[in-house]
Amino acid sequence: MDKIQVAIADDNRELVELMSDYLNSQPNMEVVAIAYNGKMCIDMLKDHQVDILLLDVIMPYLDGIAVLDAIKEDEELKNIAVIMLSAFGQEAIMSQAAQYGASYFIMKPFEAERLAMQINHIMQNGEKSVVDPKTEKSERDEKINDRIKEVGIPPHLIGYKYLKEAVSLVLDEPEMLNKVTKSLYPGVAKKFDTTPQRVERSIRSAIENAWKNNEIDQLSKIFGYSEEHLEAKPSNSQFIGLVAESLKFARKEII
């Protein structure tokens, strides 16, 4: 049986590598081309035989919507199935992607198995089913909840809800980790009608609770770092980064 020919267009090189490794491990899939910006993507599709394109929304030069538009207008490319990838769940973007012919819209972070399953589903059925952004956001919030509980922070702590929001913001805008005082704490505080100072203190207290009540070897398994690396309690920004990173396209899902 011929393999499904997959192309990937995303400027996150680490994510591209993870997706490529996992999809190439599938018996019926092969990643045949990769692009790191929208312009490269158009050229790539013209140079390779592609069945399905994994296309990021936010890219340099041409964004995902512009690439979709170009595919739609090109007779040689318009039959390529497209799965849109995005860390943002704006309904307007999803609706526009559907109008331009996207087969599916999946929010980051996502599991490798789910991505492969959706590729198989589209290739077998040819269905177009853009995801409800509210459903996608609910699924991501649940993953954040589970991870924070897993590291030993109970929901009754005030810092729990602040951490949930902080991780969600960082998953949407990773650069916020470099602007914790100026952007991240104020962003969380605004949602809960409190102060950035209280957000900072409550998150710090929640992290102290996790390090006090958890064995280091357990934390090592959760985050994928050595016990030595996690021996010292991390700063707020380091911990938020650890949780966010552990929820991205998961390394543990790769066979």
Side-chain angles (χ1 to χ4, degrees), residues 2-6 28-32 51-52 119-120 123-124:
D2 292 337
K3 291 188 176 184
I4 299 170
Q5 307 293 291
V6 181
N28 66 329
M29 297 180 193
E30 180 182 8
V31 176
V32 296
D51 297 314
I52 193 161
I119 291 172
N120 281 318
M123 296 309 299
Q124 291 168 8

Side-chain angles (χ1 to χ4, degrees), residues 39-64:
K39 186 178 183 302
M40 284 177 62
C41 179
I42 299 298
D43 296 337
M44 167 184 75
L45 295 176
K46 292 179 178 179
D47 292 339
H48 295 83
Q49 184 67 39
V50 174
D51 297 314
I52 193 161
L53 169 66
L54 308 181
L55 177 63
D56 190 29
V57 171
I58 307 299
M59 290 188 299
Y61 302 112
L62 288 176
D63 63 19

